[in-house]
Amino acid sequence: MSIDADNSLAGDLAAAADVVVSERMGHPARFELQLPAPVKRQDIPALTDGRLDPGKPLSIFVEDGAGGIDCLVSGPVDGHAIRLVHGSGNSRLTVLGGDASVAMDLEMKVRQWTGPDGPAVMAICGEYAVPCLPAGPVMARMSMQHPLVQRATDLAFLRRLAQRNGCQFWIRPMAARVGPVVNQGFFQPITFSDGNLPVLRMNAKAGGEKNTIDSLDIEFATDGPTAVKAGGVEISGVSDFTADTDLSGMDPLGRTPVDRIGPTPRTTRLTVAGDGASDLEPRGSAVLAEAQFFISATTATTAKRLGRIVHAHDTVKVEGAGSRHSGRYYVAGVTHRINTAAHTMDLHLIRNAWDEEPGGLMGALP
């Protein structure tokens, strides 16, 4: 692990710190640096280290398992938590901060935007030097018949736009061997990968592939909606409109999707004021985009054991959990815990289907 503090390599911090980085879908990435805070020369220097003052940039890097580096988080310090113990031997300083979206959440703004949502997203992100190209459907949406009024911080407004377009908004730092970190913005629907995925394997056959996890806790509930009956009234009040939505266009992570499990259809209703059906359809899709994930699983591994770094919004593959629960999962959250001995990853996985996909042998048990 290496740490940049106030735009300079901070080897002393990396050597002394226990680090926690939390990534969660729908939330900014957060970090904690837990440092010793001994008394020296009748003061506690850790508490007055200018590199760790509020607003100072901090980046945390780890090896990615393939000879490169991965920046887990890059953003400003925004707080301290301090525990002082008499005699100073066990005093601790915890430095708190978040990713680049922290800066987007500092000022309440009132302004209006005209035209599609996509250019507004790009303009806001550009104000923070965060390149972001929204997904095609967001850029292609027809201009609204009325201005879109922002009465929120930029981050809250971006999340509102993401929700109404059936998208997620997040920032991921892109690291390079040379040059500064580039914070890349993502504004896109939930999508899944099917290529060279990290494999979370248990119950491997003796002499075969190595296990990469020791346990997997799984829960599921099939009471969420699988269809939305949506209706609205034009803001002008001239006419009403409908835009029903179901899960038929969703990409299942297994052979049997949630809308074929349990009593179906399970329907919810959505009623809003808007410009027409084209304004309502993404909102219905947004409701189902979250409700489709009826399976939740948790596990833990280490970067060394897995040979990969996993992030929120990644896709992983589970093997050895039986034919029903082996297969691809979406990563809803990761908590990285790093010290000089190990890099542990606590994973929260979600899934919108069960049973292995065609051609899969991932559930085979020894």
Side-chain angles (χ1 to χ4, degrees), residues 341-361:
H343 174 178
T344 300
M345 295 179 288
D346 299 328
L347 307 177
H348 176 205
L349 313 176
I350 52 179
R351 200 176 189 211
N352 63 1
W354 65 30
D355 296 332
E356 290 183 276
E357 296 167 281
L361 297 174

Side-chain angles (χ1 to χ4, degrees), residues 47-348:
L47 307 186
T48 58
D49 189 334
R51 300 172 299 174
L52 305 177
D53 282 345
K56 292 298 180 69
L58 191 143
S59 302
I60 299 169
F61 303 89
V62 295
E63 295 182 359
D64 64 4
I69 57 174
D70 192 312
C71 185
L72 297 181
V73 65
S74 181
V77 173
D78 61 11
H80 286 180
I82 304 162
R83 176 175 173 78
L84 300 179
V85 179
H86 177 71
S88 82
N90 295 316
S91 295
R92 302 284 291 179
L93 165 65
T94 301
V95 180
L96 308 172
D99 65 22
S101 66
V102 168
M104 298 179 174
D105 206 29
L106 298 179
E107 180 185 356
M108 182 73 69
K109 297 180 179 179
V110 179
R111 52 181 171 174
Q112 71 177 30
W113 300 88
T114 58
D117 292 348
V121 172
M122 295 176 63
I124 292 171
C125 289
E127 293 174 1
Y128 300 90
V130 174
C132 181
L133 181 61
V138 183
M139 296 296 293
R141 281 190 65 197
M142 296 297 291
S143 298
M144 297 182 298
Q145 300 169 13
H146 66 282
L148 179 64
V149 179
Q150 174 183 348
R151 292 188 180 91
T153 66
D154 286 334
L155 180 60
F157 185 64
L158 287 170
R159 294 202 184 285
R160 173 188 162 195
L161 293 182
Q163 184 178 37
R164 75 191 229 121
N165 284 280
C167 293
Q168 297 277 321
F169 172 70
W170 73 97
I171 292 177
R172 181 173 292 179
M174 302 299 179
R177 285 290 183 186
V178 179
V181 171
V182 175
N183 284 299
Q184 175 69 51
F186 294 85
F187 193 102
Q188 61 187 41
I190 294 173
T191 55
F192 314 125
S193 301
D194 58 4
N196 180 26
L197 304 179
V199 179
L200 304 173
R201 182 183 299 109
M202 60 189 303
N203 297 316
K205 294 181 179 180
E209 299 284 350
K210 68 176 183 178
N211 291 320
T212 55
I213 59 173
D214 294 322
S215 64
L216 181 70
D217 295 302
I218 303 171
E219 296 180 357
F220 71 84
T222 57
D223 55 355
T226 61
V228 175
K229 289 190 174 297
V233 178
E234 287 187 359
I235 291 176
S236 63
V238 174
S239 61
D240 56 10
F241 51 86
T242 60
D244 296 345
T245 309
D246 59 29
L247 286 169
S248 59
M250 299 292 182
D251 180 15
L253 287 167
R255 187 158 38 93
T256 308
V258 62
D259 58 356
R260 289 170 48 197
I261 298 171
T264 58
R266 298 182 292 274
T267 305
T268 188
R269 290 190 176 272
L270 177 66
T271 304
V272 298
D275 287 319
S278 62
D279 192 38
L280 188 58
E281 288 168 358
R283 302 189 189 196
S285 297
V287 172
L288 297 180
E290 296 184 9
Q292 66 176 310
F293 293 105
F294 73 109
I295 298 176
S296 176
T298 57
T299 188
T301 188
T302 66
K304 181 177 180 180
R305 191 177 186 187
L306 187 63
R308 304 276 288 273
I309 303 298
V310 178
H311 293 283
H313 306 283
D314 284 353
T315 308
V316 298
K317 185 185 296 183
V318 170
E319 294 186 6
S323 60
R324 170 166 285 185
H325 292 297
S326 293
R328 293 184 299 157
Y329 284 74
Y330 190 68
V331 181
V334 186
T335 299
H336 305 266
R337 306 180 191 277
I338 312 162
N339 55 32
T340 55
H343 174 178
T344 300
M345 295 179 288
D346 299 328
L347 307 177
H348 176 205

